[in-house]
Amino acid sequence: MSKEQRAQVDAMLRQPRPDGPQPVEALRAGFKAMMARMAVPDGIRITRTTLGGRPSLHIEPDNGPRTGTILYFHGGGFVFGSPETALSLTGQLVARTGFRSYSLDYRLAPEHPFPAAIEDTLGAYRALLDSGADPSTIAFAGDSAGGGLTVTTCLAARDAGLPMPAAIVAFSPGLDATRTGESMDTKAGIDPFFTRESLGHTGAMYLAGADPHQPMLSPAVLADLTGFPPMLLQAGTNEVLLDDSTRLAARARAAGVDVVLDITADVPHVFQSFAGVLDEADQALDRAALFLTQQVRRPRDHR
């Protein structure tokens, strides 16, 4: 069945779209409509709250959470998306781990370009620490642009002298604003979702003239990952951003960081969103949940 499932997902993502660059409002509306089709699991409670001065969704199991917090950063090219559009992913992680999650509504470009998103995610992490949460009980997770934020927020936290979280989980992370990965070209046309042009359109809004050749924008090629927590990077072979993950994994390995590079064949960008539709999505989420439960500890646990 899986081959048929993959073909169905690919066909859905290849449905005709308007030609040329789209205005921000159209991008946001289209992404919201697409993500509204994704399944949100039962057995979770969702509450609107704030964290670090930003709106966020607090998601927890109906039967009460175990010790552990997932600080989640949604995808959307830093231009669109919200905690609501990522609810299928955060809900699945909460349901599978039993942890609670805060999904952050960080500021978006072009109204708020780089580094506004990183300022917000760092502020949220600082707020969790200030509330008394032990860093060994916090994991960062995110998809696409939000997957990139799991890494750059760790860089910002380290620069600020804050402790590292227990773990990073990144689904199809965007980690290279220079767009120099070989997969940008070798997966062109194979990727049903992105083109170099579409990434350039939203990327320019986020950059707003900033040089992409800096660690906070292109960690896959420029970041020093020394001291980073264990990380799980999941991507599919059918995405132009594949080499963002493979190159970050190589940098992590060279820096002495525990890293799991988890590549699934013939699936698209953030394929984990298709839980309940695509077997590989459920399997990948199970692996992510296992990784999180292995890395996140109660404060007094000894490793």
Side-chain angles (χ1 to χ4, degrees), residues 20-127:
Q22 295 300 295
V24 171
E25 295 75 17
L27 289 171
R28 289 174 178 166
F31 187 69
K32 183 178 180 180
M34 182 181 77
M35 297 309 292
R37 299 165 65 179
M38 307 303 172
V40 177
D42 296 326
I44 58 172
R45 280 199 306 269
I46 303 161
T47 311
R48 295 186 185 281
T49 185
T50 58
L51 187 65
R54 292 297 305 166
S56 64
L57 289 184
H58 181 234
I59 304 137
E60 60 182 346
D62 273 343
N63 57 1
R66 56 193 288 196
T67 300
T69 300
I70 300 167
L71 183 54
Y72 197 89
F73 309 134
H74 69 80
F78 302 104
V79 170
F80 45 90
S82 67
E84 286 76 18
T85 63
L87 199 48
S88 59
L89 293 165
T90 47
Q92 294 287 350
L93 289 177
V94 166
R96 284 169 159 84
T97 61
F99 298 152
R100 65 176 182 166
S101 175
Y102 287 95
S103 185
L104 190 72
D105 193 3
Y106 57 86
R107 288 172 293 166
L108 298 175
E111 297 89 347
H112 304 281
F114 170 80
I118 300 171
E119 292 169 354
D120 290 349
T121 55
L122 180 64
Y125 181 47
R126 195 187 293 274

Side-chain angles (χ1 to χ4, degrees), residues 2-26:
S2 186
K3 192 170 184 180
E4 293 169 26
Q5 292 169 351
R6 292 195 303 257
Q8 287 172 350
V9 168
D10 188 83
M12 187 199 109
L13 291 173
R14 289 186 189 277
Q15 287 176 356
R17 291 178 228 173
D19 289 334
Q22 295 300 295
V24 171
E25 295 75 17

Side-chain angles (χ1 to χ4, degrees), residues 220-295:
V221 288
L222 292 165
D224 173 10
L225 303 179
T226 302
F228 261 50
M231 61 175 74
L232 170 66
L233 306 172
Q234 290 187 342
T237 61
N238 288 8
E239 53 178 316
V240 292
L241 296 183
L242 172 61
D243 283 349
D244 287 32
S245 290
T246 59
R247 289 175 299 158
L248 190 87
R251 292 189 78 79
R253 189 171 66 237
V257 174
D258 292 346
V259 59
V260 179
L261 178 62
D262 181 357
I263 307 297
T264 297
D266 299 324
V267 293
H269 187 67
V270 196
F271 66 95
Q272 299 87 345
S273 297
F274 295 94
V277 174
L278 184 65
D279 291 344
E280 287 89 345
D282 288 288
Q283 292 161 3
L285 286 162
D286 282 343
R287 294 193 298 273
L290 175 62
F291 180 82
L292 287 167
T293 55
Q294 288 173 333
Q295 300 300 331

